[in-house]
Amino acid sequence: TQLLEQSPQFLSIQEGENLTVYCNSSSVFSSLQWYRQEPGEGPVLLVTVVTGGEVKKLKRLTFQFGDARKDSSLHITAAQPGDTGLYLCAGVSNAGNMLTFGGGTRLMVKP
Amino acid sequence: DTEVTQTPKHLVMGMTNKKSLKCEQHMGHRAMYWYKQKAKKPPELMFVYSYEKLSINESVPSRFSPECPNSSLLNLHLHALQPEDSALYLCASSQETGSNQPQHFGDGTRLSIL
């Protein structure tokens, strides 16, 4: 079974601060996806990273896939209250499209 | 608005009831999934359908019975559930299994078992 450790579990910061969420595994994934989930809704895909060492930017969000494709990070610059939510990383196994979710990071950005 | 539609949004049922959760997508996706998500936890995979055939059952109890009547619809039939089955049930779809394609999630059905 492939496991993904996500940290931190909870993060409460002030508007304008920067933060990084980490996703680590001892297993290699063919790709890694990041989702954001708001209360009462399903997860919404933010990005998929596929190549080891890949960096993708989505406005103030920067996603990185580790060289060995075992870990990933999400960095948010100048966080805003609208960034509040549950952030989930999910690894895609080499065998198929089965997602293994990390435990999630619950982010609260206070104005 | 999500492109995967789940009904009902909320469901309260007794342990002896029989009910069904419904999921619909019109994106032409051939893979559909059921997940269970407990409060403050990540989604856990229950079932995977590929081209309308059940391809993965993650050791889910038989009181949960999935059905895929056609490529756009996915049902989850519920019978004799337990209080610990109370959770958010999420449906997702993707173009196919076996690739890095993203999964599109519905907003879920919040199920409460009395």
Side-chain angles (χ1 to χ4, degrees), chain A residues 30-31 33 35 37 40-43 45 48 50 86 88 92 96-99 101-103 106, chain B residues 33 35 37 40 42-43 45 48 56 88 90 94 96-103 105-107:
Chain A
S30 67
S31 68
Q33 300 175 358
Y35 291 82
Q37 184 176 20
E41 299 181 6
L45 181 72
T48 301
V50 180
L86 176 67
L88 294 158
V92 180
N97 198 27
M98 300 309 106
L99 292 181
F101 280 94
R106 196 162 294 275
Chain B
Y33 312 78
Y35 288 86
Q37 186 176 25
K40 300 182 181 180
L45 183 66
V48 180
I56 291 181
L88 180 68
L90 292 163
S94 64
E96 290 185 345
T97 60
S99 68
N100 292 322
Q101 289 159 4
Q103 293 186 16
F105 284 83
D107 285 338

Side-chain angles (χ1 to χ4, degrees), chain B residues 3-76:
Chain B
E3 295 167 307
V4 176
T5 304
Q6 287 188 245
T7 55
K9 286 188 74 69
H10 302 276
L11 180 61
V12 180
M13 57 188 285
M15 289 190 282
T16 58
N17 292 156
K18 283 186 184 180
K19 296 283 185 185
S20 297
L21 310 185
K22 297 187 183 303
C23 175
E24 191 168 0
Q25 57 88 14
H26 294 288
M27 295 177 281
H29 289 174
R30 303 315 299 266
M32 296 185 77
Y33 312 78
W34 279 114
Y35 288 86
K36 174 183 177 180
Q37 186 176 25
K38 300 284 278 185
K40 300 182 181 180
K41 297 289 186 183
E44 295 174 9
L45 183 66
M46 299 174 72
F47 302 104
V48 180
Y49 272 82
S50 178
Y51 288 85
E52 299 154 52
K53 290 190 178 355
L54 182 65
S55 61
I56 291 181
N57 175 342
E58 289 287 305
S59 303
V60 180
S62 59
R63 58 186 184 268
F64 295 92
S65 175
E67 178 199 17
C68 191
N70 61 56
S71 60
S72 300
L73 293 174
L74 185 66
N75 298 323
L76 186 62

Side-chain angles (χ1 to χ4, degrees), chain A residues 13-17 19 60 76-84 87 107-111:
Chain A
I13 60 173
Q14 291 296 133
E15 182 176 1
E17 292 183 13
L19 66 115
R60 293 175 293 100
I76 301 180
T77 304
Q80 298 177 2
D83 296 327
T84 293
Y87 289 81
L107 172 66
M108 177 174 290
V109 182
K110 293 182 255 187

